[in-house]
Amino acid sequence: MSLTQSLHLQLTPMQVPDANPVGTVVGWSSEAARDVAAPAQQLKIVPGEPSELVVQVHNTSQRSLFLRFHVSGNFPLRWCRLGTEGHELPPGQRMEAVLYFEIDADFFEARQALAPGQAQMLDYPGQVQVYAGTTAAETLMATQSFSLHVRPHSRYLDFLPAVYHEVDFIGRFLKLFEQSFDPAVQVLASLWAYLDPLTAPEAMLPFLAQWVGWPSEVPWSLEQQRRLIRRAMEIYRWRGTRKGLRLYLHLYTGLPLEEDPTLPEAQKQISIQEVFSRGFLIETARLDQDAILGGGRPFHFTVRLRTPYALDERLIHTIIAQEKPAFCTYDLLIESA
């Protein structure tokens, strides 16, 4: 609606409702309500996504105009911000301003939306006013009404015939079912992530640990739990061997595995050296060769950890005692790298 012939104002919404909204918007004058019903001035807003309304101004007078834009409506003003190319409009020229609208992503789930006995508004009228003149005296040159329509995206609508797309209520009604069933559908679509200890929610870890018979009451960190549960079957497979013990210590300490056979055992950060000796055995021992009297420990090995950070020594003893053969003895040495 133009108040003078020297300035023409036109609104162009970048997102329009999928169907023509029914009903009337409340809280606005009857004169503005006539313009709100025009589909070209209806802007669709999806919670959490930006929407734009382009304001086009044409100066048909013979003098430059200094413009000021004003936006009003019964919607919260924090939803809207204005972007302009300047304030001076030369004669015969056009100018564009953009109204950026964005509402909270939890608009439908917010506490005020669920208040008992209070209806949630989805349609909001608004008005753009353009003033021209000097700072001391300015005149309202043009005004144009528009309406905002808050609508959720509904994928279920795509499965219905096109005739149902023209009914605004159908999309909003189907969204209720979509929001109810979508969490279960998303869980099924990403079920593999719930069964992988590296990506599963923390609440799922005790359940996954029970699946593979892994103790969950040991004070591991969260990342250590995830790694150990994921490779529990591999640890079981190599239990009682040097490879199994080294793998377990690698997953707990984070030290490199270093399985390269060409690297001497004494130079590894997780070093496991066997110092087996049979001691003195009657009828098999040979003097001056393998006969040892006192000081010998058969089936004995040494675990040496070279680490740049502190480790829980008592927990490492627990790991070694659990993974070694029952008849073996050992020494543990922790050195600072």
Side-chain angles (χ1 to χ4, degrees), residues 235-250:
I235 293 175
Y236 293 155
R237 187 181 301 119
W238 294 103
R239 174 163 285 178
T241 66
R242 178 191 294 180
K243 179 176 181 178
L245 177 57
R246 195 194 310 275
L247 175 62
Y248 201 150
L249 292 174
H250 158 69

Side-chain angles (χ1 to χ4, degrees), residues 9 72 97 131 160 169 172 176 185 191 198 203 206 211 213 244 256 260 270 300-301:
L9 180 62
S72 59
Y131 292 84
L160 296 181
F169 172 75
R172 292 186 283 126
L176 297 176
V185 173
L191 186 61
L198 296 183
W211 262 17
D260 185 3
I270 303 178
H300 184 79
F301 63 93

Side-chain angles (χ1 to χ4, degrees), residues 143-159:
T143 180
Q144 191 72 274
S145 298
F146 63 91
S147 60
L148 305 178
H149 303 276
V150 183
R151 297 293 185 270
H153 280 314
S154 176
R155 297 191 304 273
Y156 288 12
L157 200 60
D158 298 335
F159 298 98

Side-chain angles (χ1 to χ4, degrees), residues 155-227:
R155 297 191 304 273
Y156 288 12
L157 200 60
D158 298 335
F159 298 98
L160 296 181
V163 64
Y164 292 101
H165 297 191
E166 302 174 3
V167 183
D168 180 63
F169 172 75
I170 295 295
R172 292 186 283 126
F173 182 69
L174 289 178
K175 188 63 181 180
L176 297 176
F177 295 95
E178 184 176 345
Q179 287 185 323
S180 300
F181 298 138
D182 225 30
V185 173
Q186 295 298 329
V187 168
L188 291 176
S190 56
L191 186 61
W192 62 270
Y194 285 81
L195 301 180
D196 187 341
L198 296 183
T199 56
E202 185 177 353
M204 281 284 293
L205 290 180
F207 174 73
L208 297 178
Q210 188 177 17
W211 262 17
V212 294
W214 191 261
S216 57
E217 67 277 0
V218 184
W220 310 107
S221 69
L222 182 60
E223 292 303 319
Q224 289 170 342
Q225 287 186 61
R226 293 183 184 277
R227 293 197 301 265

Side-chain angles (χ1 to χ4, degrees), residues 5-69:
Q5 297 300 318
S6 59
L7 194 68
H8 291 282
L9 180 62
Q10 181 180 353
L11 303 183
T12 305
M14 294 293 101
Q15 295 85 18
V16 296
D18 300 322
N20 189 24
V22 295
T24 59
V25 291
V26 297
W28 207 244
S29 64
S30 59
E31 183 180 1
R34 291 198 301 268
D35 292 329
V36 168
Q41 300 163 356
Q42 296 174 348
L43 179 66
K44 175 184 176 181
I45 302 182
V46 178
E49 298 181 11
S51 298
E52 298 179 2
L53 184 67
V54 178
V55 182
Q56 299 169 320
V57 183
H58 182 203
N59 183 6
T60 59
S61 68
Q62 301 300 318
R63 59 189 180 90
S64 294
L65 298 176
F66 292 88
L67 306 180
R68 182 176 67 87
F69 296 88

